[in-house]
Amino acid sequence: MSAREMSASEAGSVAEAPVHTAATLGRVETLSTEFVSGWAAVEPPRKSVHVYATLEGQVIAFGAADMVRPDLEKARHEGRLDAYAFMLPFHSPVSAESLRSIQVFMVGKPSALPRARQVKIDRSPCLRLFLMGSPRSGTSQLGATLTKVLGLPWLGEGHGAPFFAAAAAALSGDKAAENGLVRHMARANLRQIVVNAARSAYFHMHGSASFVDKTPGVKMIAAAPFLVECFPGARFIFLRRNPVSNIRSRMVKFGGSFEDHCRDWAAAMSEWLRVRSMLPHHVEIQQEDMLGAPEHVAQVLADYIGVPESVDQICESLRTDRLEHTGAGAGRPSSSQAGWTAEQRQAFEQICGSAMRAYGYG
């Protein structure tokens, strides 16, 4: 298996790793109720080694240490260590109380990998928040607020989920298909390979089983049902904004075609109407209420996420931690108040009218 790149933000520090000896097998660096990660030494010219995790004598995860990581690369070039990182998502979550009992082994080695001196114990219970909506609907401000108040890792706009969702759909197969390979894809449940890969990627990139993913746009909204499959218990927050204000803000921020922005807003709102019934739960937040009624928004979010103790902090952040503003208007203006031409108003009504009426925008 070819080595894979690992982000520096996720890397544990082994800059002072000892010279590679027979006793230097590796280190366990992060323990979570959902995964364990660290690094394991290899014997050149190999570029991977198989590892597995156990709890009370039962194997709970199996995989390979084959990830390239900047600190391990540095140690390799300096001749101190030849090792690759691993990320092992568990077959099913374990209890927080059992984390200290988890052990990781290299296949063929009798001794468990030692833990790093400052091994990270991940937060429990896990908290995964997916923020989505049409661009320029307040997703960035809310993402910053929840990251700050709840102490969750946030990488900005991930945009990765749509790729995983598309791959899962492509590999799902059909048990009734005439083509034998397509039937095999379904019967072998190849879709699960993509689900596992998506989970591993999210845990790996955030260094935690808890995180905020703030990604606006139609493709991310369409991927929401797939994310439920990957992360049962995740929270889905949909941000929406008056279409006139949204499109004015888009034009100021991005420029480009007026009609294209109208189509994108309408497509995002229509896609959410399609997928929200597929989710076990969700909450919708009006961007204008974040500005005009932060107390109400904070209470709704705290209740939905399950953090009642944080309601005052969420409210205060919404009031004071303002991000970029385009000056495109924070109220609920009509198209006649937007300064648009007659042709633009007509295009706006033709493209956005159906979605506007579905959401109660006059």
Side-chain angles (χ1 to χ4, degrees), residues 167-245:
L171 291 176
S172 293
D174 181 355
K175 291 181 180 179
E178 292 184 5
N179 183 289
L181 182 57
V182 175
R183 291 198 305 272
H184 173 77
M185 291 165 63
R187 293 170 179 172
N189 194 17
L190 297 190
R191 179 186 181 91
Q192 189 62 40
I193 295 175
V194 184
V195 171
N196 294 341
R199 287 171 52 80
S200 178
Y202 269 91
F203 297 159
H204 160 71
M205 293 304 298
H206 292 92
S208 172
S210 298
F211 51 81
V212 172
D213 183 326
K214 188 281 301 186
T215 304
V218 177
K219 292 181 179 179
M220 185 66 180
I221 296 169
F226 170 76
L227 290 169
V228 174
E229 190 176 350
C230 297
F231 304 106
R235 296 291 186 265
F236 294 88
I237 303 171
F238 183 75
L239 279 293
R240 54 191 179 97
R241 183 181 185 182
N242 176 284
V244 175
S245 295

Side-chain angles (χ1 to χ4, degrees), residues 32-35 55 59-61 88-95 98-99 102 128 192 196 199 203 232:
S32 167
T33 58
E34 301 267 0
F35 71 88
L55 176 61
V59 175
I60 59 174
L88 301 179
F90 300 147
H91 302 316
S92 58
V94 302
S95 69
S98 66
L99 293 184
I102 292 173
R128 273 89 73 144
Q192 189 62 40
N196 294 341
R199 287 171 52 80
F203 297 159

Side-chain angles (χ1 to χ4, degrees), residues 10 28-32 35 37 99-100 115-123 153 203 206-210:
E10 175 58 17
V28 171
E29 296 174 328
T30 301
L31 285 166
S32 167
F35 71 88
S37 66
L99 293 184
R100 296 288 183 180
R115 295 197 175 111
R117 287 193 297 271
Q118 296 182 329
V119 63
K120 175 184 175 182
I121 305 297
D122 201 16
R123 64 177 290 161
F203 297 159
H206 292 92
S208 172
S210 298

Side-chain angles (χ1 to χ4, degrees), residues 16-57:
E16 290 76 36
V19 175
H20 189 182
T21 67
T24 309
L25 297 177
R27 294 288 185 273
V28 171
E29 296 174 328
T30 301
L31 285 166
S32 167
T33 58
E34 301 267 0
F35 71 88
V36 61
S37 66
W39 57 268
V42 302
E43 297 179 3
R46 297 175 62 187
K47 296 184 181 299
S48 68
V49 62
H50 286 98
V51 291
Y52 62 97
T54 67
L55 176 61
E56 297 177 352

